[in-house]
Amino acid sequence: MIISTRMRFRTILGCFIVLCAGTTQAAELEEVVVTATKRASTLQEVGMSLTALTNQDLEDAGVEELLDFSVKVPNLGMAYEADGRFDSSSPSIRGVFGLNTTGFYIDDTQVTASLLPRVVDLERIEVLRGPQGSLYGARSMGGTIRLITKRPSLSETEGNLKVSLASVRDGDLNQSVNGSYSFPVIEDKFGLHISAYWGQNSGVQDRVFQSSYNEVTRGIVRPTNAPDFGKNEDVDEEKYFGGQITANIQLTDNLTFVPKVMMQKIDSDGLPFADVDPENTTQLRFFDTEEPGTDEWTVVSATFEWDLGHGNVVSTTSYYTRETDESEEEHHFLNFLYDAVIGLPIDALESRLSTAQEYDSFIHESRYSSNFDGRLQFTAGIFYQDQEAARIYPPALQLGVNDALNAFIGAPADIVPGDLIFVHQGPRDTKEFAVFGEFTYEVSDRLSVTAGGRYYDTEVDGGDNSDGFANSGPSSFVESQDESGFNPRAVIEFQANENLNLYASASKGFRIGGINGNLPVGLCGPELEALGLTPSNASTFDSDELWSYEVGIKSTLLNNTVSVNAATFFIDWTDIQQINRLACGFQFSDNAGEAESKGFELEISATPTDNLVVSLGVGYTDAKITDTGGVAGVTKGDKIQGVPDWTVNGSAAYHFDVNDTWNGIVRADVNYYGDSFSSNNESSAANQRLREAWNAVNLRATLVSDKYEITLFADNVTDERANLADNRSIAAETPGRQRLVTNRPRTIGLEGRMRF
């Protein structure tokens, strides 16, 4: 049962107040060092709304993947917007939703925001809320997510090995193993850190033969002519593996070289989507068509750090490559298309549509951060990125369809020439150059002012080459789009006392423009004409931008046993890159309209006693369209899709002694996501689909010694099945059979860890 947000907030906060009021002795909170501003400082010193999860936080909570930690960050929403599974994850921060609105970094390497890395062997995760256009540039319009990896020690040796086995409701077993080893090769000169992981997640979806279907044209129930394959269980099972090698080389007393290689690969047997209802684990199909997928990525980077005494130079050159390849059955949709749309019902014929997305990105950034004795400090640098990306649809055939349609009409015709349904290739080359800097001046011991910005110049080149029945025959084009601009940022900070920091900021963010895909005249011409457009003048779109205003506090109370951080914000978003979804089945982005987002975040951490640690996070976002810009189906006041209004999380961990060797920890984590809307497969925002609010509870009990850990865990204890998004199908959504992205079912298991 989902309780109301207000009741949940009062209950958690009330428990928190009782715990704090009843304490007479407590340990201090850990000081967390972050590098969000491209220089090291404590979390409580940074004048921005920022959540940091340390390696210990991640281990204690059993975090293993993106959704595990995203629910712990106020106002971080998870949604899906692109085709398929692997390249569709689209996180949003503070209501700024859409492709390329949230920056995603592994250390100083920008990667695609849809990346699904395993959360293994990290130093910490930082989530920066609000536009980061000055220090992080394009694609950080709503905020930035940073995964900070571990660096090998030059003097100490340490390692760990972890194994896990778990049972999944409606599935089979999950199993995984991971380990790391960090050691000095040459004392004080050369250190290495090596880690690797492997795992297998059970599928939960079962593919079942659909023996009949309703034929719309003649109003009859028709038997399926395909072979009865019965039932194929757990068709969405997946395996994954990955690892990293990092070196720490002290070239001189003040020059350090850090090379690193990371990689990950996921092999999935099928798409993990529920049909119609998130609780449904049955996929009714005419054919036992496999829907495999692969996601493989690599990051190679080389960083030089030069300590000049008066400041530090950091120079990072990196290469990021990623390739996804996945498939979806499309015979269900095509059967509906021939019957209900064209009016030529034929027997079902098997067909599968595949797509691949390829990324190759070269990135360089060099920056200088001062360390002067006076009141003035600054960070300044240059950035360059060249990203080549391509969306590819190999030829999708439906063998025998042309003959079947000819037989139905009783005359020869090339309705589907060559039985080709669709083929497509759409390369894009995006170049970005930027110069950035921020200057901080301490007006007094308590008051400081920061001002800076980023000048950028971007260029996108690309084209499109498509053919097939779904494309109304062959088409192609070549286009380019370029622009330049400046994103300013200003912050005022006031240190009221050693435990209270107040700040206010104004910052501008932008999202890079681009080139739309093909819009076939044969299918989409009348709709484009009604909008006053043609494929040629709808081929590109410009960047959109926003201004964000934030006021916040960072505080520590009761002898550093309680921290309370809070921020409120207002965002004014203009020239929005809105997606026009056409009834012909295609879509394009256009700059139109305006939106506003406002809300707050509250994060509380406390150690009421030496044995108890509790936390509470609350986020509220009200993000709405204020000007439709003439986009069809959009109404003033519409909620921005994919954005939950409330996000609430809480945790409590109790530590106790078992004997002289072993200690015990019991922990509970809860999260709540408010309702939101999705319109991935609707041509009108008026038909957005409600995603109901959902909550989940995770429990863990751990025995710890100096060397070993044993943990019994239960994730999603109440077996809540959440609707995270209606997936934008690789093929097209069969009306009445939307495919939903869901969370994992209840999972109960055992973990063992050895440290050495």
Side-chain angles (χ1 to χ4, degrees), residues 515-581:
I515 301 172
N516 283 310
N518 178 52
L519 296 172
V521 176
L523 286 177
C524 305
E527 288 183 84
L528 291 173
E529 185 177 347
L531 295 172
L533 298 172
T534 64
S536 61
N537 62 23
S539 59
T540 66
F541 54 95
D542 294 328
S543 65
D544 50 354
E545 61 184 37
L546 58 78
W547 273 96
S548 175
Y549 308 93
E550 178 180 326
V551 177
I553 64 169
K554 301 284 185 75
S555 64
T556 54
L557 310 170
L558 302 178
N559 297 320
N560 197 31
T561 62
V562 179
S563 71
V564 179
N565 297 338
T568 183
F569 64 88
F570 174 80
I571 294 172
D572 184 15
W573 190 359
T574 58
D575 294 327
I576 302 174
Q577 292 177 14
Q578 295 203 54
I579 296 178
N580 288 261
R581 294 178 171 86

Side-chain angles (χ1 to χ4, degrees), residues 235-406:
V235 296
D236 54 323
E237 181 177 283
E238 69 174 25
K239 295 182 177 67
Y240 59 87
F241 65 90
Q244 63 176 301
I245 300 176
T246 306
N248 186 3
I249 305 171
Q250 195 74 39
L251 298 176
T252 68
D253 289 343
N254 60 354
L255 182 60
T256 303
F257 176 49
V258 183
K260 178 179 60 192
V261 178
M262 295 182 67
M263 67 80 60
Q264 177 181 284
K265 184 176 182 181
I266 303 174
D267 287 313
S268 175
D269 292 342
L271 293 169
F273 302 146
D275 285 359
V276 184
D277 188 319
E279 296 187 3
N280 179 33
T281 58
T282 298
Q283 301 177 351
L284 291 175
R285 299 294 185 267
F286 299 141
F287 299 92
D288 193 17
T289 304
E290 299 293 332
E291 298 179 312
T294 300
D295 180 11
E296 185 172 6
W297 57 267
T298 302
V299 172
V300 180
S301 65
T303 300
F304 289 92
E305 298 178 352
W306 189 13
D307 185 353
L308 300 176
H310 54 72
N312 296 284
V313 174
V314 178
S315 181
T316 299
T317 301
S318 53
Y319 175 72
Y320 165 62
T321 181
R322 184 187 185 198
E323 182 173 346
T324 66
D325 189 343
E326 50 189 332
S327 301
E328 182 179 38
E329 62 83 19
E330 64 171 348
H331 53 264
H332 235 91
F333 172 76
L334 292 174
N335 187 259
F336 165 83
L337 179 67
Y338 303 138
D339 176 17
V341 179
I342 302 176
L344 303 177
I346 59 174
D347 288 332
L349 296 169
E350 187 171 13
S351 182
R352 185 172 70 183
L353 181 64
S354 299
T355 182
Q357 180 74 53
E358 299 175 353
Y359 297 96
D360 289 285
S361 184
F362 172 83
I363 305 164
H364 176 82
E365 178 177 296
S366 291
R367 64 180 184 269
Y368 171 81
S369 298
S370 68
N371 187 25
F372 301 151
D373 292 333
R375 293 183 178 273
L376 178 66
Q377 305 290 346
F378 72 90
T379 296
I382 60 171
F383 174 87
Y384 175 77
Q385 180 176 17
D386 185 353
Q387 176 181 280
E388 295 181 358
R391 170 71 74 177
I392 300 168
Y393 290 82
L397 302 175
Q398 190 173 34
L399 297 178
V401 66
N402 200 57
D403 290 341
L405 291 171
N406 287 340

Side-chain angles (χ1 to χ4, degrees), residues 348-646:
L349 296 169
E350 187 171 13
S351 182
R352 185 172 70 183
L353 181 64
S354 299
T355 182
Q357 180 74 53
E358 299 175 353
Y359 297 96
D360 289 285
S361 184
F362 172 83
I363 305 164
H364 176 82
E365 178 177 296
S366 291
R367 64 180 184 269
Y368 171 81
S369 298
S370 68
N371 187 25
F372 301 151
D373 292 333
R375 293 183 178 273
L376 178 66
Q377 305 290 346
F378 72 90
T379 296
I382 60 171
F383 174 87
Y384 175 77
Q385 180 176 17
D386 185 353
Q387 176 181 280
E388 295 181 358
R391 170 71 74 177
I392 300 168
Y393 290 82
L397 302 175
Q398 190 173 34
L399 297 178
V401 66
N402 200 57
D403 290 341
L405 291 171
N406 287 340
F408 185 87
I409 65 176
D414 276 345
I415 301 176
V416 183
D419 295 337
L420 177 64
I421 302 300
F422 190 60
V423 60
H424 166 85
Q425 191 166 36
R428 300 288 186 271
D429 185 1
T430 304
K431 295 182 176 66
E432 179 184 354
F433 171 76
V435 178
F436 62 89
E438 287 193 347
F439 295 79
T440 299
Y441 182 73
E442 294 182 356
V443 180
S444 68
D445 291 340
R446 294 188 176 186
L447 180 65
S448 66
V449 178
T450 299
R454 187 184 191 98
Y455 168 80
Y456 64 88
D457 185 71
T458 65
E459 180 181 351
V460 183
D461 298 299
D464 192 290
N465 193 354
S466 304
D467 197 359
F469 171 71
N471 195 67
S472 298
S475 65
S476 63
F477 70 86
V478 176
E479 265 290 358
S480 63
Q481 187 270 343
D482 61 86
E483 56 192 314
S484 60
F486 181 76
N487 286 326
R489 180 173 183 263
V491 184
I492 298 176
E493 296 183 66
F494 180 68
Q495 191 78 35
N497 55 54
E498 63 179 7
N499 297 317
L500 179 61
N501 185 23
L502 309 174
Y503 70 89
S505 67
S507 55
K508 183 182 179 183
F510 84 109
R511 171 172 45 168
I512 201 167
I515 301 172
N516 283 310
N518 178 52
L519 296 172
V521 176
L523 286 177
C524 305
E527 288 183 84
L528 291 173
E529 185 177 347
L531 295 172
L533 298 172
T534 64
S536 61
N537 62 23
S539 59
T540 66
F541 54 95
D542 294 328
S543 65
D544 50 354
E545 61 184 37
L546 58 78
W547 273 96
S548 175
Y549 308 93
E550 178 180 326
V551 177
I553 64 169
K554 301 284 185 75
S555 64
T556 54
L557 310 170
L558 302 178
N559 297 320
N560 197 31
T561 62
V562 179
S563 71
V564 179
N565 297 338
T568 183
F569 64 88
F570 174 80
I571 294 172
D572 184 15
W573 190 359
T574 58
D575 294 327
I576 302 174
Q577 292 177 14
Q578 295 203 54
I579 296 178
N580 288 261
R581 294 178 171 86
L582 304 176
C584 64
F586 288 77
Q587 60 187 31
F588 68 97
S589 293
D590 192 19
N591 297 96
E594 300 177 359
E596 290 181 356
S597 181
K598 53 191 175 184
F600 68 87
E601 295 98 26
L602 171 66
E603 292 183 290
I604 304 174
S605 297
T607 57
T609 71
D610 281 343
N611 303 90
L612 182 63
V613 180
V614 295
S615 70
L616 171 68
V618 180
Y620 173 75
T621 299
D622 180 17
K624 294 180 179 178
I625 298 292
T626 56
D627 184 341
T628 67
V631 176
V634 179
T635 304
K636 183 178 179 180
D638 284 348
K639 287 189 174 183
I640 295 177
Q641 74 173 79
V643 178
D645 49 3
W646 288 94

